[in-house]
Amino acid sequence: MGDDELFDITIIGGGTTGLFATYYATMRNMKVKLLESQSQFGGKVMQFFPEKLIYDVGGYPDISGEDLVKQMIAQANRHQPEMLTNRWVESIEQKSDHFILNTSDGERHITKVILLATGSGTFQTKMPDNWDALPFPKFRKHVATNLMNREKYHHKNVVITANNKVGVGWALYLKDHAKSVTVVNPDSKFHQVKEEDLEQLRNSSIPIHMESHITNFDVKENQLQSVEINETITVETDALLSYHGLELQATPLDNWGVATYKGRILVKGDMATNIPGIFAAGDIVQYEGKTNLIASGYSEAITAVNKAHLFIDPRATEQLYSTVIYR
């Protein structure tokens, strides 16, 4: 929780770069806090492709996005740092020897240095136009908008409400795992979808309801029982997924006083921003030769943490080998 406890480093952003920075900073024996604006860690990997395989992470010939995020959360937790979700940092106050981070819910977090691993911001998933008029607001609040924890859909009756390629991809993935899949699209077509994926969906046994809406739920003890479509069709349902596009809540870098160029933070080899004591890594940074890969963020996080450690304590060793630390 936010209070007057002073941390060595606070990392803003709990995607893959932020999670690895959290682990590496604790490995360097720093007192670490991680703040993530979403309700889950994992960033873009968690939100956009947890079910897809990733092939460019060292040590893994292939690994699903979900499994990678789970491994990284476990790694980040190794030395028990403070890791908080649902924290949106509104402002940063710079003091003589520390920073105060103020969140949208009124908390304050005090730290010696900051590492920004925010990406361009946080993406909020849009819901169907009639969503707020539907019953069971507590249930609606927790309807899944990604395929994390995909094992929970195995042998379940799943309804997907979506108007785009993401919903089509979910349906094609789940058709071989779920007991049944039903797709509800309020529009007359699916947007940004490949024709071969759409043809595969049409040729499957998945019922597709076009120009249709979910008009009611049956929920008992917060467990979904069925979904009503167009006030006429009732579908037995164990799980509901929703995806109707995204809205970006941009990282308020201008409010924080962090200089940017074309939406990115320009850094050099030390990953330092224009504000002494604030470092950055991951998709939000730009430098000559930059690549936007998961693995690139790991290297940038290591550099940023090491430089941040030296900023706090000029006597600190700039680089340590894990084989020396874990003996």
Side-chain angles (χ1 to χ4, degrees):
M1 299 294 292
D3 53 31
D4 292 331
E5 186 178 0
L6 178 64
F7 283 75
D8 291 326
I9 185 170
T10 295
I11 297 157
I12 305 177
T16 52
T17 298
L19 287 168
F20 188 74
T22 299
Y23 163 67
Y24 190 80
T26 59
M27 192 180 81
R28 292 302 314 267
N29 209 26
M30 300 174 77
K31 186 176 181 180
V32 183
K33 179 182 285 185
L34 173 63
L35 301 177
E36 164 57 39
S37 62
Q38 295 274 5
S39 60
Q40 296 173 280
F41 296 110
K44 292 179 181 177
V45 177
M46 171 274 295
Q47 195 157 27
F48 297 134
F49 47 93
E51 77 281 13
K52 298 187 182 302
L53 291 177
I54 300 167
Y55 299 93
D56 54 7
V57 176
Y60 294 104
D62 60 66
I63 185 170
S64 72
E66 177 176 347
D67 289 341
L68 178 64
V69 168
K70 287 181 176 178
Q71 293 273 32
M72 297 201 67
I73 292 172
Q75 183 184 47
N77 268 311
R78 178 167 187 159
H79 300 291
Q80 298 299 303
E82 186 161 350
M83 298 171 59
L84 305 175
T85 56
N86 296 308
R87 264 63 174 197
W88 177 260
V89 177
E90 292 277 8
S91 64
I92 297 175
E93 302 174 41
Q94 187 174 8
K95 303 299 182 181
S96 60
D97 60 352
H98 66 274
F99 297 90
I100 300 175
L101 285 63
N102 300 296
T103 64
S104 57
D105 57 1
E107 289 183 353
R108 59 184 233 154
H109 303 267
I110 303 176
T111 186
K112 295 176 183 178
V113 295
I114 298 170
L115 197 167
L116 305 178
T118 60
S120 55
T122 187
F123 288 94
Q124 304 296 336
T125 307
K126 296 179 182 178
M127 306 304 280
D129 291 341
N130 68 330
W131 192 250
D132 290 340
L134 294 175
F136 303 103
K138 184 178 178 181
F139 166 78
R140 283 191 283 110
K141 183 178 180 182
H142 297 288
V143 166
T145 57
N146 59 64
L147 263 185
M148 284 290 287
N149 304 310
R150 61 192 184 277
E151 68 278 357
K152 72 181 180 182
Y153 302 106
H154 286 195
H155 308 299
K156 301 293 185 181
N157 297 302
V158 182
V159 171
I160 299 169
T161 170
N163 63 354
N164 51 63
K165 65 179 182 181
V166 174
V168 173
W170 289 348
L172 294 177
Y173 175 83
L174 289 172
K175 69 181 179 65
D176 297 324
H177 300 274
K179 182 178 180 181
S180 71
V181 179
T182 302
V183 177
V184 181
N185 183 356
D187 296 347
S188 60
K189 66 177 183 178
F190 289 99
H191 302 281
Q192 300 176 319
V193 65
K194 293 180 180 179
E195 185 58 37
E196 55 264 36
D197 290 342
L198 193 55
E199 192 65 22
Q200 187 179 351
L201 179 65
R202 289 172 179 152
N203 290 335
S204 73
S205 60
I206 296 172
I208 308 168
H209 300 269
M210 303 299 293
E211 298 183 84
S212 299
H213 292 83
I214 292 174
T215 49
N216 205 350
F217 309 117
D218 180 17
V219 178
K220 295 180 180 177
E221 297 181 354
N222 212 38
Q223 176 58 51
L224 185 61
Q225 306 294 312
S226 65
V227 164
E228 180 189 85
I229 302 171
N230 295 339
E231 299 182 344
T232 58
I233 302 169
T234 299
V235 178
E236 182 181 352
T237 311
D238 302 304
L240 178 63
L241 283 155
S242 178
Y243 192 97
H244 292 264
L246 297 168
E247 291 179 331
L248 174 65
Q249 186 176 4
T251 304
L253 297 170
D254 289 343
N255 292 350
W256 299 348
V258 177
T260 60
Y261 177 73
K262 294 184 178 180
R264 299 285 188 90
I265 302 171
L266 296 180
V267 296
K268 294 184 179 180
D270 59 0
M271 295 292 136
T273 71
N274 61 300
I275 301 177
I278 299 184
F279 299 82
D283 289 349
I284 194 59
V285 305
Q286 185 62 49
Y287 52 85
E288 185 176 356
K290 164 76 175 180
T291 56
N292 289 314
L293 297 174
I294 293 171
S296 306
Y298 297 162
S299 178
E300 294 162 5
I302 289 171
T303 299
V305 168
N306 283 333
K307 297 300 183 183
H309 200 179
L310 281 171
F311 184 88
I312 296 172
D313 181 7
R315 300 168 299 175
T317 303
E318 184 166 2
Q319 178 177 313
L320 291 176
Y321 294 98
S322 61
T323 50
V324 174
I325 296 173
Y326 299 118
R327 287 187 293 187

